Amino acid sequence: MIMLEKRPQPSRVWSMATPLVAVLATMFFGGLLFMVLGKNPVEAIKTIFYEPLFGEFAFYYRPQLLVKGAPLVLIAIGLSLGFKAGIWNIGAEGQYIVGALVGAGVGLAFYPLEAWYVFPLMVIGGAFGGWAWAMIPALLKVRFGTNEILVSLMLVYVAEQFLASMSLGLMKNPDGFGFPGSRNLNDYASANSWISQDTGMHWGVVAAFIAVIFSYILLNRHMLGFHIRLTGEAPRAAKFAGVNPKRLVVFVLGMSGALAGLAGLFEVAGPSGQISLNFNVGYGFTAIIVAFLGRLHPVGILLAGGLMALTYIGGEIAQSNLGLPASAIQVFQGMLLFFLLAVDILTNYRLRLSAGKVA
Amino acid sequence: MTTPLLSLQGLTKAYPGVIANNNVSFDIGEGEVHALLGENGAGKSTLVKMIYGLVKPDSGQMLLKGEVFAPVEPRAARADGIAMVFQHFSLFDALNVAENIALGMEDPPDMRDLAAKIREVSENYGLPLDPYRTVGDLSAGERQRVEIIRCLLQDPKLLIMDEPTSVLTPQEVDILFETLLKLRSEGTSILYISHKLEEIRTLCDHATVLRLGENVGECTPADTTASEMAELMVGSELKTPERAAREMGEVALDISGLSVPSPSEFGTALRNVHLTVRKGEILGVGGVAGNGQDELLGVLSGETLTEADAVKMDGQPIGRLGPTERRRLGLLTAPEERLGHAAAPDMSLTENAMLTGSVREGLESRGFLKWGEAAAFAERIIEVFDVRTPGPENAARSLSGGNLQKFVVGREVLQRPEVLVINQPTWGVDASAASSIRQAILDLATGGAAVICISQDLDELMEISDSFAALNEGRLSAPRDASGLTVEEIGLMMGGAHGMEVAHV
């Protein structure tokens, strides 16, 4: 019989090793899944993990890693602050959309003025949009005790309607021959987040790295970060230590909203280029997986974001080269979170094999 | 000699890193009240869990009326006539008495029959109880009655009681003892677990003393003095804390007309509480658990805010200040619940030292944390208060209850409080550590601090307090000089028998 025995304290080794074990288990069971679908499992796994980095067309895929990874890391860093405090913002996708809308709105309002301050104002607008969208669940929670999981999630769908209305109405490109979608910001030099399009570098990548460093310092060296962790570990002890729970809810939800909004802005001003009906591709939801895969640790999230971006790109290659269905790739990504949570138990418990005794 | 009811032979049980029971043997006779005596951590609980089928011994055996007895689960033990009243009640607040009892039965009878049966048994044993009352409205003593009646309905041969008097006023203890003596006269054996020596001397026929998991001696309590039993229990002579003569200064803390609604449905509201503590004074606050102790601590720590004037420190209104501002002023508190309230279980001792120490120990500057100094502060607590742990990087939950208590108390005492409020300072701590914690509290008062000590241990309060007040249903009795108070007077301050009837036997 396999027994679980609680460890006197969480194992450091396991807390580092579990993401690795989860990745390996996902590879194994994902391979099985691909085999059932009639594909060669080894080739499929190799296509997903190896091709984008070292394959024949890696020169094309590597910049894509930065493009896909940056918004994931940026959003996940914000989410991790809330998750650490036990505050569950599930609606980053909505904050991402609203951030992009407000940021792009600021840029489009200045069009065609070329000035150095246009982009910074857009950045502020993007952060503000995400922040304001996250304030809705935050204030409802603080004032009326509503559940932030439900409210933030529902607001994603509101934001999607808002996005559709904007790309068909107010922000529609006047020179766009009636097609839905805004002007392409890539054609507007002052409102462009690219640093170097060939390498995939844009200001969102820079922001993601800054967010990682900022979050690391906040969580490990600052009272506010300590209070965030304390609230997640033991809410009553946090209150005893002097934490104002309501202020903390407003801070972490606002922070995660602002970062998601920034991610949206950098995306719309760079890789995506315009507000359109299908602007959002689910970064806000995938970032939840990234946050947990990275163990809510800033550096872990950086690595997890890279890994997730890899499965995105590798998944696309596998779709086109091997004909794997897109949903199989999504199952594969879901497996990663599933295994991570399952293996996570080893951090706090150890397995013991014991002969089952019959009394 | 006749066959004993239950005979324990060489019971041994080890947990990783600790031997809870080592080769323990003793007999419990028919119709005997047998005391199991020992400090916290001596292995009493493990031993009774083996008898009750919750834990399986590694080796050794038990004989029930001469036959091998090895219960695999509590149900089997109950079927063989063993019943147990736990220290912590397992009752649902929102259900009534009869429903609670029905929940614990294998195959509960019709609710009306059960209610009639509960009435009959409760009257018989002098524990009157209305089967239709909601448990959430009952006092601790009445809840214990529910548990006892739940056991008596099974007609047990052996009743195990784990520290039953810790939740009772002295008057309620008397009622309980009447009931137990009646049970004994009917031939029921009782295994009575306690560390309160005087009650064992009045009640028990025989006592077995456990120390560090071993049976270190048996005695007849009536013929043995309390200090002899204490020495057996502790293994050495106990130092009683010294009280230095000290001067009382000005009023340091003043609560007047404080009323706070109950934070939850079954919590306790504070009603019109008045108290003052002077510098150098120790005010003991007694009372049965759940009568407003947690709520009073919350009001003082700043977790519960009140009107500004309701709480004053050195004449300044502080009712609206949060915990951090109060710490800055020198009002420090140590809550009862160690894990999850006073300390964060999965965080290291260093982080837990930061939890309350950041302001007064200067562990932060402009919001940035000085972890090196926090670790040094944690080291200092560990050293001064003799906390047994490999080092400050260990998680709070890896410490034993007593050691964590020493850490939590030490953390506040070492921050040189002007006013210290402490709830259950020695709860779950072994006797020698308890006496050093009490000494630290006394030394603090000698140094001029005002101390409010909330405790359910009356002996402790009498040992250290200058004045005494009791909480009863959220009301605080007027504080009185502690010297010269009798047990009866204290009991009445605590609410007497809470209107419970005495056994008519």
Side-chain angles (χ1 to χ4, degrees):
Chain A
M1 201 168 53
I2 300 172
M3 303 245 291
L4 283 174
E5 192 179 275
K6 189 151 189 171
R7 295 177 191 273
Q9 51 186 325
S11 154
R12 260 162 219 229
V13 177
W14 272 109
S15 107
M16 307 280 246
T18 44
L20 215 64
V21 174
V23 169
L24 291 175
T26 311
M27 283 187 179
F28 179 76
F29 287 96
L32 282 183
L33 172 81
F34 299 144
M35 202 160 78
V36 173
L37 288 170
K39 312 291 173 195
N40 179 346
V42 179
E43 203 191 332
I45 297 295
K46 191 180 156 218
T47 306
I48 295 174
F49 289 98
Y50 183 83
E51 285 293 324
L53 286 174
F54 310 108
E56 199 184 339
F57 298 102
F59 66 89
Y60 173 72
Y61 294 125
R62 279 187 207 148
Q64 287 291 311
L65 274 178
L66 290 181
V67 169
K68 301 262 183 206
L72 287 176
V73 171
L74 202 51
I75 300 172
I77 288 286
L79 293 181
S80 71
L81 296 181
F83 293 171
K84 267 204 182 286
I87 296 159
W88 307 98
N89 177 5
I90 305 297
E93 185 80 359
Q95 293 137 24
Y96 170 85
I97 293 173
V98 176
L101 285 176
V102 175
V106 171
L108 293 170
F110 280 106
Y111 182 83
L113 174 80
E114 297 285 355
W116 64 268
Y117 52 80
V118 173
F119 189 64
L121 283 176
M122 289 168 67
V123 171
I124 294 170
F128 173 78
W131 175 84
W133 207 244
M135 274 305 107
I136 301 173
L139 295 178
L140 285 175
K141 183 182 176 70
V142 167
R143 189 77 187 77
F144 300 107
T146 56
N147 184 321
E148 77 279 12
I149 301 177
L150 292 175
V151 178
S152 64
L153 180 61
M154 309 270 234
L155 282 171
V156 173
Y157 305 107
V158 178
E160 280 178 350
Q161 298 305 319
F162 197 35
L163 172 72
S165 143
M166 282 296 168
S167 35
L168 294 171
L170 206 57
M171 289 194 192
K172 193 162 80 173
N173 185 353
D175 309 327
F177 310 105
F179 282 102
S182 71
R183 261 180 222 288
N184 196 323
L185 294 171
N186 283 335
D187 302 333
Y188 177 19
S190 290
N192 203 314
S193 67
W194 287 113
I195 297 172
S196 146
Q197 201 157 351
D198 297 338
T199 54
M201 268 307 275
H202 61 90
W203 283 107
V205 179
V206 178
F209 278 105
I210 293 175
V212 168
I213 295 165
F214 168 79
S215 153
Y216 184 86
I217 292 173
L218 178 73
L219 288 173
N220 291 292
R221 295 269 174 261
H222 199 273
M223 202 56 169
L224 189 56
F226 179 65
H227 282 166
I228 287 174
R229 288 193 292 135
L230 197 55
T231 304
E233 297 267 358
R236 212 169 158 212
K239 200 152 182 245
F240 175 61
V243 178
N244 181 334
K246 294 184 170 177
R247 226 179 281 167
L248 196 80
V249 166
V250 171
F251 174 79
V252 295
L253 280 179
M255 200 68 194
S256 60
L259 288 178
L262 277 179
L265 173 273
F266 291 126
E267 187 71 13
V268 76
S272 155
Q274 61 173 156
I275 294 291
S276 61
L277 284 172
N278 50 1
F279 164 71
N280 62 314
V281 290
Y283 284 135
F285 293 116
T286 312
I288 298 171
I289 306 183
V290 171
F292 277 103
L293 195 61
R295 308 217 53 89
L296 304 183
H297 186 285
V299 178
I301 287 171
L302 187 64
L303 298 174
L307 180 72
M308 218 56 198
L310 193 64
T311 66
Y312 257 124
I313 296 162
E316 276 169 21
I317 304 174
Q319 278 177 50
S320 57
N321 289 8
L322 305 175
L324 272 174
S327 45
I329 301 296
Q330 282 167 8
V331 170
F332 187 75
Q333 288 171 346
M335 271 183 180
L336 201 53
L337 181 64
F338 174 80
F339 280 114
L340 184 82
L341 294 178
V343 212
D344 202 30
I345 203 166
L346 292 174
T347 315
N348 278 310
Y349 291 85
R350 78 179 102 222
L351 285 181
R352 290 226 320 181
L353 296 171
S354 70
K357 262 190 286 185
V358 182
Chain B
M1 202 182 147
T2 52
T3 333
L5 174 75
L6 181 70
S7 172
L8 310 182
Q9 302 179 340
L11 288 181
T12 298
K13 175 73 195 176
Y15 291 110
V18 56
I19 298 176
N21 286 132
N22 188 8
N23 200 15
V24 176
S25 310
F26 64 90
D27 293 343
I28 303 169
E30 301 253 8
E32 176 185 85
V33 182
H34 194 112
L36 187 57
L37 187 62
E39 288 195 78
N40 289 301
K44 294 169 297 184
S45 298
T46 306
L47 191 68
V48 294
K49 279 181 188 162
M50 288 195 273
I51 301 175
Y52 197 55
L54 281 165
V55 170
K56 252 177 279 177
D58 294 338
S59 64
Q61 63 169 355
M62 295 180 272
L63 298 178
L64 187 67
K65 294 191 170 171
E67 287 177 28
V68 174
F69 171 64
V72 282
E73 53 177 353
R75 196 156 40 157
R78 282 199 294 268
D80 282 322
I82 313 271
M84 179 155 174
V85 177
F86 288 89
Q87 196 176 356
H88 300 284
F89 309 139
S90 42
L91 298 171
F92 294 94
D93 280 346
L95 300 181
N96 71 28
V97 171
E99 285 164 342
N100 262 294
I101 289 177
L103 273 178
M105 295 177 106
E106 294 291 296
D107 127 62
D110 180 69
M111 206 45 92
R112 201 167 348 151
D113 296 346
L114 182 64
K117 191 103 188 282
I118 290 172
R119 257 208 187 98
E120 182 197 319
V121 171
S122 67
E123 301 284 336
N124 263 346
Y125 289 95
L127 302 170
L129 196 62
D130 178 355
Y132 293 115
R133 276 184 69 193
T134 306
V135 165
D137 299 333
L138 300 180
S139 72
E142 288 169 316
R143 284 169 202 232
Q144 187 180 58
R145 284 186 173 182
V146 180
E147 292 278 8
I148 295 173
I149 286 165
R150 178 188 270 180
C151 290
L152 295 184
L153 286 172
Q154 309 163 22
D155 228 348
K157 294 192 204 88
L158 174 66
L159 179 64
I160 305 173
M161 303 206 73
D162 192 357
E163 307 252 353
T165 57
S166 58
V167 297
L168 303 179
T169 65
Q171 280 81 355
E172 289 168 337
V173 170
D174 288 342
I175 303 176
L176 175 70
F177 282 8
E178 295 275 349
T179 306
L180 294 182
L181 291 175
K182 179 167 159 65
L183 276 170
R184 177 178 70 173
S185 70
E186 290 172 356
T188 308
S189 304
I190 293 162
L191 182 59
Y192 188 90
I193 302 166
S194 182
H195 61 253
K196 294 186 185 166
L197 304 165
E198 281 308 326
E199 48 184 57
I200 285 172
R201 292 192 66 222
T202 50
L203 181 74
C204 300
D205 306 309
H206 202 85
T208 299
V209 185
L210 286 187
R211 190 200 316 150
L212 300 174
E214 294 186 38
N215 180 348
V216 290
E218 304 197 11
C219 61
T220 307
D223 304 340
T224 316
T225 65
S227 66
E228 281 169 335
M229 282 197 281
E231 265 172 56
L232 260 181
M233 194 163 92
V234 181
S236 61
E237 221 177 310
L238 263 186
K239 262 196 299 186
T240 36
E242 291 165 35
R243 311 171 62 140
R246 53 181 190 264
E247 294 281 310
M248 305 279 175
E250 302 154 33
V251 170
L253 189 86
D254 182 3
I255 297 182
S256 55
L258 173 78
S259 294
V260 180
S262 163
S264 63
E265 194 182 349
F266 295 112
T268 310
L270 292 176
R271 296 160 219 250
N272 197 17
V273 171
H274 292 265
L275 70 81
T276 55
V277 206
R278 286 173 293 170
K279 291 182 174 153
E281 178 183 357
I282 299 178
L283 169 69
V285 176
V288 174
N291 273 292
Q293 286 90 338
D294 276 353
E295 288 79 3
L296 181 61
L297 186 114
V299 162
L300 290 165
S301 71
E303 288 163 278
T304 312
L305 297 183
T306 61
E307 280 166 43
D309 281 349
V311 185
K312 282 189 205 150
M313 189 170 156
D314 297 327
Q316 298 296 314
I318 59 165
R320 302 230 44 92
L321 298 185
T324 311
E325 287 83 16
R326 293 193 193 194
R327 283 192 187 108
R328 194 164 287 135
L329 290 175
L331 170 55
L332 304 185
T333 50
E336 170 184 9
E337 184 64 43
R338 297 176 284 240
L339 283 176
H341 193 183
D346 283 324
M347 287 187 155
S348 70
L349 294 179
T350 302
E351 288 170 301
N352 275 298
M354 179 70 84
L355 199 148
T356 68
S358 61
V359 183
R360 286 182 79 75
E361 292 298 306
L363 305 181
E364 65 168 316
S365 75
R366 297 161 181 234
F368 285 90
L369 308 173
K370 300 182 185 168
W371 285 119
E373 295 181 24
F377 179 47
E379 294 267 16
R380 197 150 61 87
I381 301 168
I382 291 169
E383 197 190 308
V384 175
F385 278 80
D386 188 29
V387 180
R388 307 281 160 79
T389 173
E393 67 284 353
N394 284 272
R397 80 157 191 244
S398 70
L399 267 63
S400 74
N403 273 311
L404 187 55
Q405 181 70 15
K406 287 192 267 182
F407 183 84
V408 168
V409 172
R411 181 179 67 186
E412 306 307 325
V413 168
L414 288 183
Q415 290 181 51
R416 309 164 317 275
E418 307 277 327
V419 179
L420 178 68
V421 184
I422 189 165
N423 191 0
Q424 297 276 58
T426 59
W427 183 66
V429 177
D430 66 63
S432 56
S435 99
S436 65
I437 287 178
R438 285 176 202 145
Q439 187 64 59
I441 294 174
L442 282 166
D443 292 346
L444 207 57
T446 310
V451 179
I452 299 179
C453 178
I454 306 170
S455 177
Q456 283 150 53
D457 185 340
L458 290 179
D459 300 334
E460 167 171 286
L461 290 180
M462 288 304 104
E463 195 173 291
I464 62 172
S465 335
D466 303 299
S467 48
F468 177 88
L471 270 170
N472 179 26
E473 292 174 357
R475 291 188 183 83
L476 189 73
S477 68
R480 291 178 52 175
D481 207 327
S483 59
L485 272 181
T486 65
V487 173
E488 278 68 33
E489 285 171 317
I490 292 171
L492 288 173
M493 289 167 84
M494 287 164 65
H498 285 108
M500 300 207 304
E501 282 178 58
V502 188
H504 305 292
V505 276

